[in-house]
Amino acid sequence: MRVSLKTWVVLALAGLTAAAPSVHTVKVKETTRVPRGWTKRDKAPRDLLIDLRIAIPQSNFPALEQHLWEISDPFNERYGAHLSHEEVNELIAPHPESVGAVDAWLAEHGLTEADIARSPAGDWVKVRVPVGKVENMLDATYHVYEHADGSTLVRTTSYGLPEHLHAHVEFIQPTTLFSRFRPNKATFHFSQAVSAAPAEENAPAISVPSASGGSVDASCNTNITVTCLKQLYNAVGYTPLANTGNQVAATGYLEEFASFSDLQLFFKSQVPAAVNSSFNVISINGGLNNQTEPGGEANLDTQFLFGITHPIPATFFTTGGRPPFIPDIGSTENTNEPYLDWLDFILNTPHPPQTISTSYADDEQTVPVNFAQRVCQGFAQLGAKGVSLTFSSGDGGVGDGDPDPATQECITNDGRNKTEFLPLFPPSCPFVTAVGGTIHVPETAVDFSGGGFSNVFDRPLFQAVAVPEFLEKLAPGTFKGLFNPNGRAIPDVAAQADNFLVFIDGEEFHIGGTSAAAPTFAGFVSLLNDARIRAGKSSLGFLNPLIYSIGLVHTGAFNDITTGNNPGCGTEGFNATAGWDPVTGFGTPNFGILKEIVLALP
């Protein structure tokens, strides 16, 4: 059959139209200012591969949140009735219309189902695409940004989407996220240890009525060990079991590796019963655990967390990828999104460890609000499945996480250039337990203990009594305009945070920071889980409603810290006081009393 020229042209144009992306009105989805400390460098290489993560709105998160409040409330008849992995996924699955809209948009840009990775619930979509394609998809321009500390990120300060997609996409990253996610370790407290002086070794024990046996070794005033912590927090003589199904874990990022040989030296010195035991390593995104490069943060976390909890099965999550990305060395992949990779993994794990400790965070203001809220919802999902998450509250007092007061800026990044106290994220998420720091015996607040009030998250219901009580104690006008009195307050609790004896590369050192407090508190949470599981009960899961209920009505369950403060931003910071305070929360744990309380719960 002969086809006329006119018909051929019409058919050819129709084919071209079908193959080309549809024409949609593109509207800016998100913009950001470049945070202080970052400098824009060259344009990002167009062939650089980026794992583009697309957050699709969760259809019924309010229902999941309601479940979480009920199963975490010790006064609710549903307490401890955690949801299954499948039940959680069903509640957060996105609406089919949103999934279809996003899939159609990806298809318009030549991406097929084979190119797409989805979370089990379908609320996250990930595609690996080169910068050049991302710029076309998002109407954006990516550059390499360098921080004053030498770290670099590939980012854009603005991106857009077809207008019809805005209702179906919460956000896309990496785009405007300038968080560095660094360890909460006060490195200026890192010093090689010296043996206790003979006078100290022979000194009488320190009287601490709440401690095991009513006293603590005098050496604990300068050298914190597992024995010191068990004495101080009333856990001497409690031995957990290895075969109950209880698990505990620490997270590692930025090429912080945990040494097996250093762990054995630590066990030989502090936990002889644990010698020849170890921990499992789970690699995420190619994470390594290089035994020739032990890290102080990773060794601190694993030695103390797993020393307190031995013989509970232990896991070290090592997640690959770290800044800086250096585009001139031939790298074709952007690998500086390790935290998102860990979150992807743990949310996709049907039976994660019941207690997970993390000692990394960043300034809350460097995290886009929509990203912070969605990540926080991910923590809620873990809580609903029975996981307790502890995060160190930071080492900058009320400041920006910088442990050196001389270099703290405490200036907002939103264009106002206003002086404010700057909390950290993820500790500011209400669905995690933020752990502040203490020092010495008897305990006092350590001066670098991070604390304050979120500028992103409102005060949660579990803080409705304790936090206003603290605010009422402040003199009128105290720090007016420097903090958000209606925000989620941190920390929730505290633990020792300085003079921890750890082994690194075969040598013994002191390390300080709330990086030590988070695994310490998590260790005692894992012991409480052991007690509950042995009694045929569920794990504790999301802790905060229980902590605030106990803190308000059970005298002695937490050791109330009433001295010390957390200076920063050119101020003396908040004071530790009776009851909850934004330096040490409700205080440090009394394991013996807490064990009796949690065993009395359903």
Side-chain angles (χ1 to χ4, degrees), residues 93-430:
H95 195 281
E97 182 182 353
S98 294
V99 175
V102 171
D103 286 355
W105 172 65
L106 293 174
E108 288 173 2
H109 288 277
L111 297 168
T112 67
E113 187 63 29
D115 301 312
I116 300 172
R118 304 179 191 273
S119 64
D123 59 325
W124 284 96
V125 170
K126 182 169 71 173
V127 290
R128 176 166 288 191
V129 284
V131 163
K133 180 180 277 293
V134 175
E135 291 181 331
N136 290 333
M137 294 170 66
L138 301 182
D139 192 27
T141 301
Y142 277 77
H143 285 82
V144 176
Y145 289 85
E146 183 178 3
H147 193 268
D149 67 2
S151 60
T152 58
L153 294 172
V154 175
R155 292 293 186 268
T156 181
T157 57
S158 176
Y159 70 93
L161 288 171
E163 193 166 6
H164 77 280
L165 267 185
H166 281 231
H168 302 297
V169 173
E170 283 191 11
F171 61 83
I172 298 178
Q173 292 291 354
T175 49
T176 58
L177 175 66
F178 280 84
S179 173
R180 287 177 292 148
F181 201 64
R182 59 193 186 270
N184 280 334
K185 179 176 63 184
T187 52
F188 63 95
H189 284 273
F190 183 96
S191 59
Q192 193 160 7
V194 294
S195 300
E200 183 183 81
E201 291 180 344
N202 298 324
I206 303 169
S207 175
V208 180
S210 60
S212 294
S215 64
V216 176
D217 291 346
S219 63
C220 298
N221 239 325
T222 53
N223 296 312
I224 292 295
T225 64
V226 170
T227 297
C228 288
L229 295 171
K230 287 193 172 183
Q231 288 180 352
L232 186 59
Y233 298 145
N234 192 19
V236 172
Y238 185 85
T239 303
L241 298 180
N243 59 356
T244 64
N246 191 24
Q247 299 180 62
V248 65
T251 62
Y253 305 91
L254 310 180
E255 297 176 7
E256 275 281 342
F257 306 133
S259 168
F260 296 119
S261 60
D262 286 338
L263 181 72
Q264 294 309 312
L265 292 173
F266 178 85
F267 281 163
K268 183 178 179 181
S269 172
Q270 298 194 27
V271 194
V275 170
N276 295 326
S277 67
S278 191
F279 53 86
N280 296 319
V281 175
I282 292 182
S283 171
I284 301 168
N285 191 36
L288 304 175
N289 196 32
N290 190 336
Q291 294 302 291
T292 65
E293 299 178 13
E297 181 63 58
N299 275 8
L300 167 64
D301 293 342
T302 54
Q303 288 172 19
F304 272 88
L305 179 56
F306 304 157
I308 292 169
T309 59
H310 173 77
I312 295 171
T315 296
F316 176 61
F317 291 111
T318 174
T319 304
R322 68 164 295 156
F325 163 72
I326 304 175
D328 60 0
I329 62 174
S331 175
T332 59
E333 294 186 18
N334 176 29
T335 58
N336 54 12
E337 314 299 338
Y339 184 63
L340 291 175
D341 289 321
W342 180 81
L343 191 60
D344 285 345
F345 177 88
I346 202 67
L347 289 175
N348 294 348
T349 303
H351 302 288
Q354 291 92 334
T355 310
I356 303 176
S357 177
T358 299
S359 296
Y360 298 74
D362 206 353
D363 305 350
E364 184 184 65
Q365 69 169 351
T366 68
V367 182
V369 170
N370 54 16
F371 178 84
Q373 291 171 337
R374 184 59 176 263
V375 169
C376 193
Q377 290 175 2
F379 296 145
Q381 294 171 48
L382 291 170
K385 291 195 285 187
V387 178
S388 300
L389 298 168
T390 64
F391 279 81
S392 48
S393 68
D395 295 335
V398 294
D400 59 4
D402 186 341
D404 185 354
T407 55
Q408 283 186 355
E409 290 190 334
C410 304
I411 304 295
T412 60
N413 278 330
D414 56 7
R416 296 177 300 154
N417 293 322
K418 181 178 181 294
T419 299
E420 278 187 358
F421 295 163
L422 299 177
L424 301 188
F425 178 82
S428 65
C429 167

Side-chain angles (χ1 to χ4, degrees), residues 495-517:
Q496 285 279 319
D498 208 358
N499 300 322
F500 277 57
L501 286 178
V502 300
F503 281 85
I504 304 171
D505 203 16
E507 296 188 49
E508 195 173 32
F509 289 85
H510 277 131
I511 284 187
T514 54
S515 280

Side-chain angles (χ1 to χ4, degrees), residues 7-36:
T7 301
W8 184 87
V9 170
V10 169
L11 291 173
L13 289 175
L16 288 173
T17 302
S22 302
V23 177
H24 299 294
T25 302
V26 174
K27 181 180 177 182
V28 173
K29 175 68 174 175
E30 188 175 359
T31 60
T32 189
R33 293 175 179 269
V34 178
R36 269 183 320 282

